[in-house]
Amino acid sequence: MDLTCCTLCPRECGADRTQGRGRCGAGMLPRLARAALHRWEEPCISGTDPSRGSGTVFFSGCPLGCRFCQNHSVSLENFGKEVSVSRLGAIFLELQAQGAWNLNLVSAAQYLPQVIEALDLVRGRLQIPVVYNSGGYEKVESLGLLEGYVDIYLPDLKFMDPALGADCADAPDYFEAASAAILEMVRQVGPPQMGADGMLRRGVIVRHLVLPGERRDSERLLRWLAGAVPVEDVLLSLMSQYTPCRPMGRKALNRRLSTFEYDWVRDIAQELNFSGYGQERSSAREEYTPPFDLTGVEQKEEGSV
Ligand code: SF4
Ligand code: SF4
């Protein structure tokens, strides 16, 4: 992948990353905000043992850049520290040694070549499933690089209406990209495979955050998904924790989601026979946003793999 004219993500901004940063904030070295066990993913990803969790690596920057992002210091402001590819591989092994159920790569699209290089460095030693946790704004061609590396895809499916994508993330092409990306993810890893311990070993969990005032868009997305793939080939995680964090152009996006709106969309998911996860309305809380403080990023001494 030529990073002197980067076209990794649908932005295709053409940045020369050997000389500077792209629109997403990415340069040549992977930049991380946190690498630690995390207990706030779906139960089949985080487990229920409080001493364990998902081994999350939060990459800085994001190709999508949603205005409502709860991780905005990382995604929009690019908080983080650059590490070598060798250090990235060492971090993967450190999370495994801490008891991570899986390695959870959060918003890594802008660093795919570096992630693949790091995974190659730890091949044979990293025994846990690799989760690719994405906003869904991906190119099929780039996802193709991950075939054989990723066991579980955890994409968002955010909006269908181009105007909504434009208002929320300056991405009127969001659905076009995300819908193709999800089909590619399902093609690569197939239907969900759950271990006897209740942990997901392989498969795709599609996450949808219901947005205030936009339940009809949610309905259209769910009906598209149910028509595009057999519903038993994906798990659906229907999320309710939208929290306004900056003024939004659409009035409804400046409030929380109502119980009525969430239940309305959940009923459609049930009617369509999706399996997966819902979210209690009381969960619109800060616990979902971990402290971005470089935990696990800086090595005590030069760790190489
Ligand atoms: S990954 Fe970043 S640098 Fe590359 S095309 Fe997308 S926005 Fe530009
Ligand atoms: S895709 Fe996710 S990480 Fe990126 S800006 Fe949107 S909400 Fe934040």
Side-chain angles (χ1 to χ4, degrees), residues 62 64-66 69 75 135 156 158:
C62 178
L64 189 54
C66 307
C69 182
S75 60
D156 293 335
K158 291 175 183 289

Side-chain angles (χ1 to χ4, degrees), residues 6-15 17 22-26 63 109-110:
C6 186
T7 57
L8 264 179
C9 85
R11 299 283 185 203
E12 297 190 338
C13 75
R17 290 172 52 174
R23 174 179 169 148
C24 60
Q110 62 277 26

Side-chain angles (χ1 to χ4, degrees), residues 15 20 104 115 131 145 177 188 198 206-208 217 229 252 268:
N104 187 344
V115 164
V131 181
L145 301 172
Q188 283 188 23
V206 176
R207 284 174 164 172
H208 176 63
D217 201 64
V229 295
I268 289 169

Side-chain angles (χ1 to χ4, degrees), residues 113-272:
Q114 295 88 342
V115 164
I116 288 168
E117 206 182 325
L119 288 171
D120 280 337
L121 286 174
V122 298
R123 186 185 292 272
R125 286 179 285 167
L126 189 75
Q127 308 287 340
I128 51 180
V130 175
V131 181
Y132 186 78
N133 189 330
S134 156
Y137 195 52
E138 304 271 357
K139 279 173 65 175
V140 169
E141 180 191 354
S142 300
L143 288 173
L145 301 172
L146 290 172
E147 186 154 12
Y149 288 92
V150 169
D151 303 288
I152 298 167
Y153 280 105
L154 200 47
D156 293 335
L157 183 58
K158 291 175 183 289
F159 359 82
M160 178 177 277
D161 178 7
L164 184 58
D167 288 352
C168 290
D170 195 20
D173 61 339
Y174 174 83
F175 176 71
E176 190 186 332
S179 55
I182 286 172
L183 297 183
E184 169 65 9
M185 293 170 182
V186 174
R187 184 197 70 74
Q188 283 188 23
V189 299
Q193 294 175 22
M194 209 67 85
D197 53 8
M199 301 303 290
L200 190 64
R201 296 282 186 272
R202 197 169 172 84
V204 178
I205 303 179
V206 176
R207 284 174 164 172
H208 176 63
L209 175 67
V210 184
L211 295 176
E214 303 295 344
R215 63 192 161 98
R216 300 282 176 192
D217 201 64
S218 296
E219 177 182 9
R220 285 190 288 271
L221 284 174
L222 296 187
R223 293 198 185 283
W224 168 80
L225 185 60
V229 295
V231 288
E232 57 276 10
D233 283 6
V234 293
L235 294 168
L236 178 70
S237 181
L238 202 57
M239 307 171 86
S240 65
Q241 84 271 28
Y242 178 85
T243 307
C245 56
R246 63 189 61 207
M248 299 290 289
R250 291 180 186 230
K251 192 173 166 207
L253 290 175
N254 294 298
R255 62 166 170 85
R256 293 254 174 107
L257 186 71
S258 71
T259 301
F260 166 77
E261 289 171 305
Y262 181 77
D263 290 350
W264 191 88
V265 177
R266 186 204 53 206
D267 288 350
I268 289 169
Q270 287 173 349
E271 172 206 315
L272 294 169

